[in-house]
C-alpha cells in the first residue's frame, strides 16, 4: 500500500506506506521518544527493553499477516510516525484488530495522524477478514480522542482509575472502536 496526502503548496506531502525491516531503527527511536514523554503510553521507558531486530520482526509479522499491517508516515525522506493494525490471532478475534499510533512530537498537529488513520481505515475496509478496529486511549489524551472521533470511533467503555502515576494519582482508560 502507498498513499499520499497533499498539503499546502509550500508543505511537502505526507506519504503513507507499509513499513519494512530497514525502517525498524527509526520507528523504534520515535517510539522511545514518545515513551520518554511519559504521558501517552502505558509502558514506562525503563520497561521497554527491545532492540532493532525485535522491531523488524514485529513489522515483518504484521505485514505478512492476513489481518494486520504496520504503516509508516514520511515527510520527504524522514519517517515521522507509525501506526500498527494488529489483528486477532484466535478464531473468535480474527475480525478485530487493535490500533496503535504515534507521531514524533515536532510533527504533531500537521495532519500526520489523520493521514495514517485514513490509510489504516481504508486498508481495513478492503480487508476481507476485518470488521472492527479497537483501541485504548488515556481519557485525558484529547488530541488522540479528537482524531479517533473524527473518523467515527465511538467509546465502548471507560476503565476508571486504571493507571496509577508516580505521585499516586489515577487516570482512566477509554476503549474506543470503529466498525469497518
Ligand atoms: C495522537 C496523535 C497520533 C495525533 O497525530 P497528529 O499528527 O498530531 O494529529 P493530526 O495533526 O493529524 O490531527 C488529527 C486531529 O487531532 C486533533 N488535533 C490536532 N491538533 C490538536 C491539538 N493541538 N489539540 C487538540 N486536538 C488536536 C484534531 O481534531 C485533528 O483533526 P483535524 O486535522 O481534522 O482538525 C499524535 O499527536 C501523537 O503521536 N501523540 C502522542 C502519542 C499518542 O498519544 N498516541 C495515541 C495513543 S492512544
Amino acid at each position: 500500500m502507498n498513499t499520499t496526502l497533499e498539503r499546502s503548496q509550500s508543505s511537502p506531502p505526507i506519504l503513507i506506506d507499509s513499513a519494512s525491516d530497514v525502517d525498524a531503527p527509526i520507528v523504534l527511536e520515535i517510539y522511545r521518544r514518545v515513551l520518554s514523554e511519559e504521558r501517552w503510553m502505558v509502558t514506562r521507558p525503563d520497561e521497554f527493553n527491545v532492540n532493532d531486530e525485535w522491531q523488524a520482526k514485529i513489522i515483518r509479522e504484521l505485514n505478512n499477516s492476513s489481518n494486520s499491517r504496520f504503516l509508516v508516515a514520511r515527510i520527504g525522506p524522514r519517517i515521522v510516525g507509525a501506526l500498527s493494525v494488529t489483528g486477532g490471532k484466535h478464531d473468535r478475534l480474527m475480525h478485530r484488530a487493535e490500533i496503535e499510533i504515534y507521531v514524533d512530537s515536532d510533527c504533531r498537529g500537521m495532519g500526520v495522524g489523520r493521514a495514517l488513520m485514513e490509510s489504516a481505515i481504508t486498508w481495513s475496509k478492503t480487508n476481507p477478514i476485518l470488521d472492527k478496529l479497537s483501541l485504548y486511549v488515556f481519557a485525558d489524551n484529547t488530541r488522540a480522542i479528537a482524531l479517533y472521533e473524527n473518523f467515527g470511533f465511538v467509546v465502548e467503555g471507560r476503565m476508571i482509575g486504571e493507571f496509577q502515576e508516580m505521585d499516586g494519582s489515577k487516570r482512566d482508560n477509554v476503549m474506543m472502536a470503529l466498525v469497518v
Side-chain angles (χ1 to χ4, degrees), residues 62-108:
L62 293 188
N63 287 341
N64 288 330
S65 155
S66 53
N67 63 348
S68 303
R69 193 92 337 207
F70 198 109
L71 305 177
V72 284
R74 293 173 212 273
I75 296 182
R78 177 183 165 195
I79 292 179
V80 294
L83 183 154
S84 55
V85 180
T86 306
K89 291 201 171 85
H90 296 284
D91 188 57
R92 285 195 170 95
L93 289 170
M94 291 286 284
H95 68 289
R96 179 245 187 218
E98 199 165 311
I99 298 253
E100 185 173 47
I101 181 171
Y102 43 93
V103 173
D104 231 348
S105 59
D106 64 327
C107 294
R108 292 181 196 152

Side-chain angles (χ1 to χ4, degrees), residues 1-2 16-21 23-28 30-31 48 54-65 67-74 79 81-87 98-102 116 119-120 123:
M1 79 171 297
N2 191 325
I16 309 297
D17 201 2
S18 292
S20 66
D21 280 25
D23 300 325
I26 307 295
V27 166
L28 206 47
I30 296 174
Y31 193 70
F48 190 65
W54 175 88
Q55 183 65 70
K57 187 165 170 274
I58 297 283
I59 290 172
R60 265 197 311 276
E61 278 177 5
L62 293 188
N63 287 341
N64 288 330
S65 155
N67 63 348
S68 303
R69 193 92 337 207
F70 198 109
L71 305 177
V72 284
R74 293 173 212 273
I79 292 179
L83 183 154
S84 55
V85 180
T86 306
E98 199 165 311
I99 298 253
E100 185 173 47
I101 181 171
Y102 43 93
L116 279 165
S119 289
W123 179 84

Side-chain angles (χ1 to χ4, degrees), residues 90-153:
H90 296 284
D91 188 57
R92 285 195 170 95
L93 289 170
M94 291 286 284
H95 68 289
R96 179 245 187 218
E98 199 165 311
I99 298 253
E100 185 173 47
I101 181 171
Y102 43 93
V103 173
D104 231 348
S105 59
D106 64 327
C107 294
R108 292 181 196 152
M110 293 165 45
V112 175
R114 183 158 27 99
L116 279 165
M117 190 58 88
E118 202 168 281
S119 289
I121 292 171
T122 302
W123 179 84
S124 301
K125 278 184 199 277
T126 59
N127 181 283
I129 302 170
L130 291 179
D131 288 335
K132 178 178 180 181
L133 298 177
S134 301
L135 57 86
Y136 297 90
V137 57
F138 281 79
D140 54 6
N141 193 345
T142 47
R143 191 199 308 248
I145 291 174
L147 170 68
Y148 305 147
E149 284 178 343
N150 286 350
F151 282 99
F153 279 81

